[in-house]
Amino acid sequence: MPRRPRPTAPKSPRDKRSSPGVPGTSRARPTPLHTATTGDTTRTVVQVAGEVDHETSLQVHGALEAALDAALTGDARVPWLHLDLAQVTFCDSAGLNVFLMARRRALENDMRFTLDPSTRVSQLLNLTGTTALFDTYTDPRTDPPPTAT
């Protein structure tokens, strides 16, 4: 008697990405990750766009570490690090861990740490109960720095 194929567990929606020549993968490819760092003597802004997950979190970690290193070295330390996540389309626990590590390092060095979360990042912060750990701030390039609390 011929064997029946074993049923397989349905894949999560994130697993269904389009791959050339692979049937059944209709979802578009993930949004590529981009980071950019700008700043002046009062603030450093790290912008992140795309998907932050276990594969891309190292890139975000590197950008944040480089920004913190630059802000904390030299005679004129930069007192404020702002993380602009408004263009993040997906974020998982690996990304959250990177944000928490950067926050901790900034606060340990008496820096102000703020972020501008996208809807997806806000959902993750709410789901994990970490919303209260982050000061949210929309646009540090045009707004005055928040006062220290």
Side-chain angles (χ1 to χ4, degrees):
M1 179 183 266
R3 287 187 159 191
R4 291 177 57 190
R6 293 180 116 176
T8 58
K11 295 187 178 207
S12 73
R14 288 198 36 82
D15 292 336
K16 292 200 86 167
R17 295 190 175 135
S18 63
S19 299
V22 178
T25 56
S26 59
R27 187 166 167 236
R29 291 186 187 272
T31 308
L33 182 77
H34 298 285
T35 62
T37 303
T38 57
D40 55 32
T41 59
T42 61
R43 70 198 111 218
T44 299
V45 178
V46 178
Q47 295 174 303
V48 180
E51 293 189 3
V52 182
D53 59 21
H54 69 281
E55 294 176 8
T56 60
S57 62
L58 286 177
Q59 183 179 342
V60 177
H61 176 74
L64 287 168
E65 285 296 306
L68 283 162
D69 288 344
L72 295 170
T73 58
D75 294 333
R77 292 176 38 149
V78 178
W80 181 16
L81 177 65
H82 179 76
L83 184 53
D84 182 350
L85 304 174
Q87 299 301 310
V88 171
T89 57
F90 175 83
C91 187
D92 67 9
S93 60
L96 176 59
N97 189 41
V98 169
F99 308 152
L100 288 167
M101 287 189 301
R103 176 189 172 272
R104 183 178 65 199
R105 183 172 174 208
L107 295 177
E108 286 173 349
N109 287 283
D110 297 321
M111 288 182 75
R112 179 77 179 195
F113 184 87
T114 58
L115 59 83
D116 179 13
S118 67
T119 301
R120 298 288 185 180
V121 173
S122 291
Q123 289 170 344
L124 177 65
L125 298 178
N126 288 332
L127 180 67
T128 58
T130 56
T131 303
L133 295 176
F134 295 98
D135 289 333
T136 57
Y137 201 69
T138 307
D139 191 354
R141 292 168 300 243
T142 58
D143 297 331
T147 57
T149 54

